[in-house]
Amino acid sequence: MQSIDLLSSKDIIKTVSQIDDLQNIWEQRNDKLPFYTLGAASYLDSSKSYNKRYYKKADRLNPILANQFSWLYEKVLGALTEATGLTCQLAEHQALPGFHIFLAHKKFLSPVASRHVDRQHIKLNWTNNEQVDLRDVRLADF
């Protein structure tokens, strides 16, 4: 597995500060644990038959995420393009990458999720992105 050094300490502090500044739009995802998301999450906000909630949330939150994190998206895309030799870009009609936020809790000292491969992108509407070939999606772990 390849590792990419992407963010400096200063970049990390900036990112965390920007996420904290947007706390009023974090969405709590678990009633018992302090687990939140910032942005639409396809595995939580869509299903095989119903994506309306995902796209409504993306429409509402994408402008905020783009305004706050465009510098970060540019860094990530540049690093991925350099590492893979492929052109990497954000899908125009999908949610921008967001954040999972786990506040301190003793339950998080133990594993709370199993190892898995994310495939929720298959459930989304890709008709506006005809250049996407879902048969040739290369998986990446972050």
Side-chain angles (χ1 to χ4, degrees):
M1 181 188 321
Q2 182 178 2
S3 177
I4 302 171
D5 289 325
L6 182 65
L7 300 178
S8 67
S9 295
K10 185 177 175 182
D11 290 337
I12 293 167
I13 291 168
K14 178 180 179 179
T15 303
V16 170
S17 176
Q18 288 177 295
I19 292 168
D20 286 345
D21 288 346
L22 296 172
Q23 186 173 3
N24 63 318
I25 59 171
W26 294 3
E27 183 174 354
Q28 188 161 8
R29 298 300 191 145
N30 187 296
D31 293 338
K32 297 180 171 99
L33 297 172
F35 163 48
Y36 303 84
T37 57
L38 174 57
S42 59
Y43 79 102
L44 295 170
D45 296 319
S46 67
S47 68
K48 286 182 181 177
S49 61
Y50 185 75
N51 292 328
K52 191 173 186 176
R53 182 177 55 189
Y54 167 83
Y55 287 108
K56 281 182 79 170
K57 194 172 290 187
D59 286 345
R60 182 172 51 87
L61 296 174
N62 276 3
I64 297 167
L65 293 172
N67 182 55
Q68 291 295 311
F69 301 103
S70 60
W71 68 273
L72 181 59
Y73 297 138
E74 288 173 20
K75 269 191 151 204
V76 170
L77 291 173
L80 289 173
T81 296
E82 185 177 319
T84 64
L86 302 169
T87 301
C88 297
Q89 61 190 27
L90 298 171
E92 191 173 320
H93 301 285
Q94 305 297 339
L96 289 172
F99 300 89
H100 282 58
I101 303 143
F102 299 89
L103 301 181
H105 191 282
K106 64 182 178 182
K107 282 275 191 188
F108 294 140
L109 295 173
S110 303
V112 294
S114 60
R115 188 173 190 151
H116 64 279
V117 174
D118 289 330
R119 306 277 303 160
Q120 63 267 18
H121 62 278
I122 294 169
K123 297 186 282 187
L124 300 178
N125 178 2
W126 291 97
T127 57
N128 292 323
N129 298 284
E130 280 124 20
Q131 75 276 13
V132 174
D133 181 354
L134 294 177
R135 295 168 301 175
D136 189 34
V137 173
R138 294 170 186 134
L139 300 176
D141 273 335
F142 298 95

